[in-house]
Amino acid sequence: MIEQLIQHILNDHTLQTVTLGALILGITAGALGAFAVLREQSLLGDAISHATLPGVGLAFLLTQDKSPLTLLIGAGIAGWLGTICVKVITQTTRINKDAALGLVLSVFFGFGLVIITIVQKLPTATKAGLDKFLFGNAATLLKEDVHTMIVLSMIVLTLLILFWKEFKLLTFDGDFFKAQGFPFHFFDILLTTLIVSAIILGLQTVGVVLMSAMLVAPAAAARQWTDRMSVMVILASVVGAISCVSGALTSSMATNIPTGPVITVYLSLAVIISLFFAPHRGLVWDWFRIFKQRGAIASATILQNLLILSESHSDPYHPHDAAVLKTLGSNAFNRTLTKLVREGLIKQYPDNRLSLTPLGLEKARQISLELSEEKGT
Amino acid sequence: MSPSLEIIFLASLVALTCALPGVFLVLRRISLMSDAISHAILLGIVLAFFLTKSLSSPLLVAGATLAGVLTVTITEVLIKTQKVKKDTAIGLVFPFLFSIGVILLNKYAGSIHLDAECILFGEIAFAPFNRLVIQNMDLGPIGIWLVGGIFLLNLAFILVFYKELKLATFDPALAAALGFSPVILHYALMSLVSVTAVGAFEHVGSILVVALIIAPPAAAYLLTERLSSMLILSAVIGVTAAISGYWLAYILDANIAGSMATMCGVIFFVIFIFAPDRGWLARKFFQKFNQWNFAKDILTVHLLQAEITHADRQEQVVGHMTDHMLWSPDFTDEVIGRCLDDGLILQEGEKLLLTDYGREKAKISFIKG
């Protein structure tokens, strides 16, 4: 199956172009998305990507030129304008970020639709030309497009590596960054510009509607596996690249499926897997930890109660009625008891009476010592 | 009614219906939930369509509404796990559900008139063709009845729970203490947004619904302090955007829903600039006004101090102000000119003297300062 696929790609120039384009997009968007997510700008990506639509349309309307560079420049300018609108609205009015993002996103997109419907009525326009910017169509990627993407992503990634330290500091501690005398606004704008660039990289492949997922999802998945920025950026790039390439290939080889949604589904699967199974942070890990803690607390409760009973008696190993212990309370009493008997901490008599074993007594005393120490501190 | 009148009426109705719950979304700072909901309902619509094989079944509305509420729930559960932040959670959930909807639609429903363009553009222009006919009686487009019903639902909900909504929006802690469950109210509001999005979806598409939900209330928020007037203003702005949007589309021969969203943006922009108290111009004006007032206070108080201490008469010379206050000569001239106009001071050659009125004013500002 996979061999066949690889064979297929090697023989087919269209698929090669698609794969290369998707690879570049996945790496770049994944890396920049990590910053967007950590700076709590996840939804800014959504607003920017929708805001690029009128830029694409206007660039075509004004220049009558459908080369990728022209359209991407138009998209970039519009995306940038959208970002500035969000900033101005949130900084000068009492309208909050959420509403400002939604406003910019929907109004720009609506204006974009107006432009696109006008463009589509021009005699020079073929309908397929601008449609792919909505949901993306990787199969329409041409060599020329991929070359533009390579150059753009090289610039973006070089700047990212060059100013790595600055961006990292800006992301985690903006105030310290300012206090150290770095030009905050310059780097803030530069990083936003790079994010805008990553977004316009994906317009043709993923489309404006779902481009935000391309930024957010790889980063959200990568975040679960690591606490280190560098590792997270690399992981996000890898997740982005794998999902993007598989999505682009799936949609190119199937009929009638736009690329953006397929990539989004793959990305979401990566996020779901990470959320559940990532070591230390994953939900399964959490549940296991809670389960273990509950068991430990239940065992400690029974041992403690038995210790209290045994201390009231001259013989510490004197057996006591199980019913008494049960009344004193413990989670999942019977299961925990069986476990304690198996571990040799408690001895069970046939008449359902219990006593501590020497090992159990020692353990119970140790626990009560630990507890009183904790109380002391 | 002629078809174009019907479209204008329907467009206004959609705008009105969206603006009402929008007010509470904007005030409660959860505007983008409308974006998430309006996308996610597509999956509900598609699944319900596969079940019922009909586009006009009430099950479709129910399924889609359920999908909307489900999105909110999943997003909130995801936020509660603390594995991702709030905005990331929103940005993860709805693209996933929306994508599944789009894929299913493209793959299995190629023949029906729901396609990618319809999802994004809406087809309000076709609404007059889809008519409600009972016993050979033409009762107008189905869309008007559906959206009209949703409008009445929204209106009724807001009228009945006005006090509760107001309290829960502005003081959630007090609302909870008084026994209104904020959670129930929240989910009721989210269901309302879902129903609204479903009703509007067919006509204006999944993204432009957001413009109609957020933009009018956001603009109204810049104009008023009162919840009741904000609701009315949002409705007025929404309807204005709908009607002017229709004409814009007519003139440009462009998509109607897109034009409505564009007009929402234009109206917001105009209000952003010209709003009486919070607009850009008003703020600039107040800034200048305050700046001159402050400068006048400084000058008169300075002269007052010079009078009281009988210090060197130098203090009262025009040129001295420039040195002492680090004001530029032009600025000093302007301040002196304004003080003269207001009758606060008199100028005798190079010397400045307070008038009685100016002295009183200076004393007051001195005490206040």
Side-chain angles (χ1 to χ4, degrees):
Chain A
M1 171 70 196
I2 290 174
E3 252 173 62
Q4 262 179 330
L5 183 71
I6 292 172
Q7 202 67 37
H8 206 63
I9 294 172
L10 286 178
N11 293 332
D12 189 330
H13 284 287
T14 316
L15 282 189
Q16 279 173 16
T17 314
V18 169
T19 312
L20 189 61
L23 189 70
I24 294 163
L25 170 62
I27 292 172
T28 318
L32 266 305
F35 285 94
V37 165
L38 288 176
R39 299 189 73 199
E40 298 184 34
Q41 290 182 334
S42 301
L43 293 170
L44 184 65
D46 200 23
I48 295 174
S49 58
H50 282 75
T52 54
L53 191 64
V56 176
L58 275 179
F60 179 72
L61 202 63
L62 295 177
T63 61
Q64 299 289 320
D65 174 13
K66 219 189 275 180
S67 75
L69 196 62
T70 317
L71 298 186
L72 290 192
I73 289 173
I77 293 172
W80 230 84
L81 263 178
T83 320
I84 289 172
C85 284
V86 172
K87 280 222 163 94
V88 169
I89 291 173
T90 44
Q91 278 168 8
T92 64
T93 71
R94 52 181 175 171
I95 292 169
N96 78 324
K97 199 172 142 199
D98 231 43
L101 286 171
L103 187 78
V104 167
L105 176 158
S106 54
V107 168
F108 271 65
F109 188 78
F111 183 53
L113 282 190
V114 170
I115 305 280
I116 280 194
T117 42
I118 292 174
V119 166
Q120 278 175 352
K121 287 185 177 112
L122 294 177
T124 45
T126 50
K127 204 166 181 288
L130 294 176
D131 261 15
K132 64 184 174 211
F133 287 103
L134 294 175
F135 281 128
N137 193 345
T140 63
L141 277 179
L142 302 174
K143 274 233 171 76
E144 193 194 352
D145 301 327
V146 175
H147 290 162
T148 314
M149 288 171 74
I150 292 177
V151 174
L152 188 56
S153 77
M154 281 300 156
I155 297 172
V156 169
L157 291 178
T158 311
L159 283 171
L160 185 64
I161 293 167
L162 216 58
F163 295 117
W164 173 260
K165 236 194 259 167
E166 283 81 358
F167 288 151
K168 193 168 153 184
L169 191 55
L170 178 76
T171 304
F172 286 108
D173 198 341
D175 290 334
F176 183 65
F177 186 76
K178 266 185 245 177
Q180 288 293 303
F182 286 106
F184 180 85
H185 286 289
F186 173 76
F187 282 105
D188 185 33
I189 291 169
L190 183 62
L191 189 52
T192 310
T193 311
L194 293 189
I195 294 174
V196 173
S197 313
I199 288 171
I200 61 174
L201 261 183
L203 290 187
Q204 201 177 341
T205 317
V206 184
V208 300
V209 182
L210 290 163
M211 190 51 213
S212 67
M214 193 65 237
L215 283 178
V216 177
R223 175 69 189 90
Q224 311 308 318
W225 299 84
T226 176
D227 286 331
R228 289 186 60 87
M229 184 75 202
S230 50
V231 183
M232 181 177 161
V233 167
I234 292 168
L235 266 180
S237 293
V238 173
V239 171
I242 293 174
S243 318
C244 205
V245 169
S246 16
L249 287 178
T250 312
S251 108
S252 300
M253 292 192 295
T255 48
N256 210 9
I257 294 187
T259 316
V262 184
I263 293 180
T264 308
V265 169
Y266 283 137
L267 284 169
S268 305
L269 292 180
V271 173
I272 292 170
I273 292 171
S274 307
L275 280 176
F276 278 97
F277 300 110
H280 304 296
R281 264 182 77 98
L283 283 170
V284 171
W285 204 270
D286 281 359
W287 294 330
F288 180 66
R289 210 173 305 160
I290 291 170
F291 179 77
K292 245 176 68 178
Q293 268 169 3
R294 280 211 185 123
I297 290 171
S299 307
T301 312
I302 292 179
L303 285 176
Q304 282 297 293
N305 289 339
L306 204 51
L307 180 69
I308 292 166
L309 291 178
S310 77
E311 274 170 352
S312 67
H313 214 274
S314 54
D315 172 19
Y317 306 117
H318 182 84
H320 298 271
D321 204 329
V324 178
L325 273 176
K326 201 166 182 176
T327 329
L328 286 171
S330 152
N331 257 334
F333 182 79
N334 290 331
R335 198 182 54 204
T336 314
L337 186 61
T338 321
K339 199 188 92 190
L340 289 170
V341 171
R342 199 176 55 232
E343 284 172 0
L345 297 172
I346 282 180
K347 192 173 170 197
Q348 194 164 22
Y349 294 87
D351 56 352
N352 209 14
R353 289 194 307 163
L354 309 166
S355 75
L356 286 167
T357 63
L359 193 65
L361 184 67
E362 197 186 319
K363 174 94 178 162
R365 283 192 174 137
Q366 194 193 330
I367 291 170
S368 92
L369 202 67
E370 276 167 19
L371 280 176
S372 60
E373 266 173 15
E374 259 172 48
K375 253 183 220 161
T377 51
Chain B
M1 275 197 282
S2 72
S4 58
L5 257 181
E6 278 174 355
I7 294 174
I8 293 178
F9 183 65
L10 179 57
S12 310
L13 206 54
V14 170
L16 209 56
T17 313
C18 289
L20 291 181
V23 169
F24 294 98
L25 288 188
V26 169
L27 287 175
R28 294 164 74 99
R29 301 169 165 249
I30 47 174
S31 316
L32 277 174
M33 274 297 176
S34 66
D35 189 34
I37 289 174
S38 71
H39 279 83
I41 53 170
L42 178 72
L43 182 60
I45 289 177
V46 173
L47 290 179
F49 174 75
F50 285 147
L51 281 176
T52 61
K53 303 282 174 209
S54 146
L55 265 181
S56 52
S57 144
L59 256 180
L60 211 68
V61 179
T65 308
L66 207 65
V69 179
L70 196 69
T71 314
V72 177
T73 317
I74 296 177
T75 308
E76 266 155 22
V77 168
L78 192 54
I79 296 170
K80 281 231 176 73
T81 64
Q82 298 187 337
K83 305 286 169 205
V84 291
K85 297 235 170 70
K86 186 185 159 207
D87 57 335
T88 312
I90 297 176
L92 284 172
V93 175
F94 82 81
F96 181 45
L97 300 177
F98 184 65
S99 299
I100 297 176
V102 174
I103 292 173
L104 288 177
L105 200 61
N106 275 281
K107 202 66 197 151
Y108 302 108
S111 55
I112 58 164
H113 89 276
L114 263 180
D115 59 13
E117 260 181 37
C118 165
I119 299 165
L120 299 177
F121 291 33
E123 290 186 333
I124 200 166
F126 294 160
F129 299 124
N130 199 357
R131 305 196 78 84
L132 182 67
V133 179
I134 298 174
Q135 291 175 344
N136 290 330
M137 269 241 298
D138 181 10
L139 295 173
I142 291 181
I144 289 184
W145 289 99
L146 186 67
V147 177
I150 296 171
F151 168 68
L152 290 180
L153 179 73
N154 283 355
L155 193 65
F157 180 84
I158 287 172
L159 286 180
V160 172
F161 295 107
Y162 186 74
K163 241 191 277 172
E164 286 80 357
L165 278 168
K166 193 172 172 179
L167 189 59
T169 301
F170 292 108
D171 196 344
L174 180 62
L178 289 176
F180 304 120
S181 163
V183 178
I184 292 179
L185 212 59
H186 175 67
Y187 274 91
L189 194 61
M190 289 296 125
S191 315
L192 220 56
V193 174
S194 302
V195 179
T196 306
V198 177
F201 175 85
E202 197 187 337
H203 307 299
V204 294
S206 61
I207 295 169
L208 303 179
V209 175
V210 179
L212 294 177
I213 290 180
I214 299 178
Y221 198 24
L222 297 179
L223 289 174
T224 177
E225 306 266 277
R226 296 184 60 84
L227 180 61
S228 51
S229 21
M230 189 171 159
L231 279 163
I232 294 166
L233 272 173
S234 305
V236 172
I237 292 169
V239 172
T240 314
I243 296 174
S244 55
Y246 176 83
W247 288 110
L248 182 71
Y250 184 79
I251 294 164
L252 295 175
D253 190 17
N255 176 269
I256 296 174
S259 307
M260 283 164 67
T262 308
M263 284 317 295
C264 281
V266 171
I267 293 174
F268 178 83
F269 182 73
V270 170
I271 291 177
F272 175 76
I273 300 287
F274 295 106
D277 286 334
R278 299 176 185 282
W280 187 80
L281 276 182
R283 266 181 298 113
K284 281 275 169 265
F285 176 76
F286 282 131
Q287 261 173 22
K288 276 277 165 232
F289 184 74
N290 282 336
Q291 193 187 359
W292 290 124
N293 263 359
F294 186 66
K296 282 194 284 191
D297 284 352
I298 293 277
L299 179 62
T300 49
V301 169
H302 195 79
L303 290 176
L304 182 71
Q305 244 171 346
E307 267 182 8
I308 292 169
T309 54
H310 297 286
D312 200 333
R313 289 287 167 182
Q314 275 289 319
E315 295 278 338
Q316 279 157 284
V317 173
V318 176
H320 179 80
M321 296 307 297
T322 336
D323 305 337
H324 207 93
M325 295 294 161
L326 296 175
W327 287 347
S328 72
D330 289 347
F331 188 80
T332 313
D333 286 347
E334 178 73 34
V335 176
I336 290 171
R338 278 167 189 261
C339 285
L340 286 171
D341 288 347
D342 292 356
L344 293 167
I345 57 171
L346 291 168
Q347 188 167 15
E348 287 175 359
E350 276 290 283
K351 265 178 83 177
L352 300 173
L353 294 169
L354 282 172
T355 62
D356 288 341
Y357 173 60
R359 198 167 294 118
E360 284 311 304
K361 287 282 266 187
K363 278 177 186 162
I364 291 168
S365 19
F366 188 70
I367 292 164
K368 269 200 292 189

